[in-house]
Amino acid sequence: VSTQSTWDLDSPSTFMTLVTKISGPTSLQSACTFSFHFPAVDKPYESHNGICARLRYFVRVIFSRSLLTDVVVEEDFWVQNVQAESEINAPIKMEVGIDDYLHIEFEYNKSKYHLNDVVLGKIYFLLVQIRIKHMELSIIRRETTGFGGQVAHETEQLCKYEIMDGCPARGECVPVRLFLGGYKLAPTLDRIASKFSVRYFLHLVLVDEDDRRYYKQEEIKLWRKFL
């Protein structure tokens, strides 16, 4: 099993290896089949193929030849892990404001979601002194690789939709309902082999009539409930 960063393609980091010998010295004159078995292999992390990092599970077969270069063949396989639901899943609540021009309070029903879950929330406008044109909600995926002085970030917008059109009045409440099952999401990955992380954020953006953008971003944890 190995991890690999785009800025270090020639140096993948292997953090688990199992080896078995499937044949002794022999001469191959025609097609042959060799059986192998790795019992109870621990696969703690999900496979990942992102913008700046990937995590691979693969079978590598090496044919050692005397006086000739070895023949190496690799075949990847994809791993998905079902996780248990966390007992602690607090809602997200926060109030944000811009001086005496805009104060909003938003809340999402929880902070951890399975991949087919529904994000439910409400956005309250406590003070509105600027002309809001519309409001958007998007899901952002952020990959972080490296450590120390060699840290790289890649951000990808996975979806975006408009949840409000027009300027809200003071005291207005805008409901939020976002179905996650329609998007290509994967579980949150946190410091895999101390090499990379994959995190997800709910990104709320308000756009005024001068096309100025006001935004607030909150991290959510994603997990896989079933295959």
Side-chain angles (χ1 to χ4, degrees):
V1 187
S2 71
T3 60
Q4 191 173 42
S5 302
T6 54
W7 50 266
D8 196 15
L9 292 175
D10 295 329
S11 301
S13 176
T14 301
F15 60 89
M16 185 178 71
T17 303
L18 298 175
V19 180
T20 184
K21 187 175 182 180
I22 59 176
S23 175
T26 187
S27 176
L28 301 179
Q29 303 296 332
S30 60
C32 297
T33 300
F34 298 95
S35 298
F36 65 91
H37 177 55
F38 293 106
V41 178
D42 185 26
K43 298 180 284 295
Y45 310 122
E46 289 230 354
S47 297
H48 176 71
N49 189 16
I51 297 175
C52 65
R54 65 173 176 166
L55 188 150
R56 299 174 61 209
Y57 289 85
F58 57 92
V59 176
R60 176 187 291 150
V61 180
I62 302 176
F63 299 90
S64 299
R65 302 185 297 177
S66 58
L67 306 180
L68 293 173
T69 303
D70 292 348
V71 176
V72 180
V73 179
E74 293 181 352
E75 185 67 30
D76 288 61
F77 60 94
W78 199 261
V79 171
Q80 295 180 334
N81 291 327
V82 173
Q83 299 165 286
E85 184 170 2
S86 175
E87 295 182 359
I88 301 175
N89 196 353
I92 297 173
K93 294 184 178 181
M94 184 168 291
E95 183 177 331
V96 295
I98 305 171
D99 297 328
D100 295 326
Y101 299 102
L102 178 68
H103 285 183
I104 63 173
E105 187 178 273
F106 65 88
E107 62 178 64
Y108 303 114
N109 61 327
K110 49 189 176 181
S111 53
K112 300 173 184 176
Y113 298 88
H114 64 76
L115 301 183
N116 292 88
D117 216 335
V118 181
V119 177
L120 300 175
K122 295 178 182 179
I123 300 168
Y124 301 94
F125 288 85
L126 307 178
L127 176 65
V128 184
Q129 296 292 344
I130 56 178
R131 300 292 298 177
I132 301 296
K133 187 165 61 174
H134 64 266
M135 181 165 57
E136 305 167 348
L137 182 65
S138 58
I139 299 176
I140 302 295
R141 176 165 56 207
R142 181 178 300 155
E143 292 181 351
T144 303
T145 60
F147 55 91
Q150 276 193 319
V151 176
H153 301 281
E154 285 290 345
T155 299
E156 181 182 7
Q157 181 177 269
L158 304 179
C159 72
K160 181 181 72 173
Y161 79 107
E162 191 172 288
I163 59 176
M164 185 190 72
D165 184 21
C167 188
R170 180 177 180 178
E172 188 169 343
C173 175
V174 177
V176 174
R177 185 182 295 265
L178 176 59
F179 293 86
L180 301 180
Y183 305 105
K184 293 182 178 180
L185 303 174
T188 297
L189 300 175
D190 186 24
R191 293 188 58 81
I192 301 302
S194 298
K195 295 296 182 180
F196 76 95
S197 299
V198 181
R199 302 160 67 195
Y200 294 87
F201 299 84
L202 292 175
H203 188 71
L204 183 68
V205 179
L206 289 88
V207 182
D208 69 13
E209 291 185 340
D210 296 322
D211 286 329
R212 290 175 297 199
R213 303 172 72 85
Y214 312 91
Y215 64 89
K216 186 62 181 178
Q217 192 168 267
E218 281 296 320
E219 184 176 4
I220 58 174
K221 302 286 187 179
L222 298 184
W223 57 282
R224 189 180 300 280
K225 187 175 182 178
F226 46 80
L227 298 178

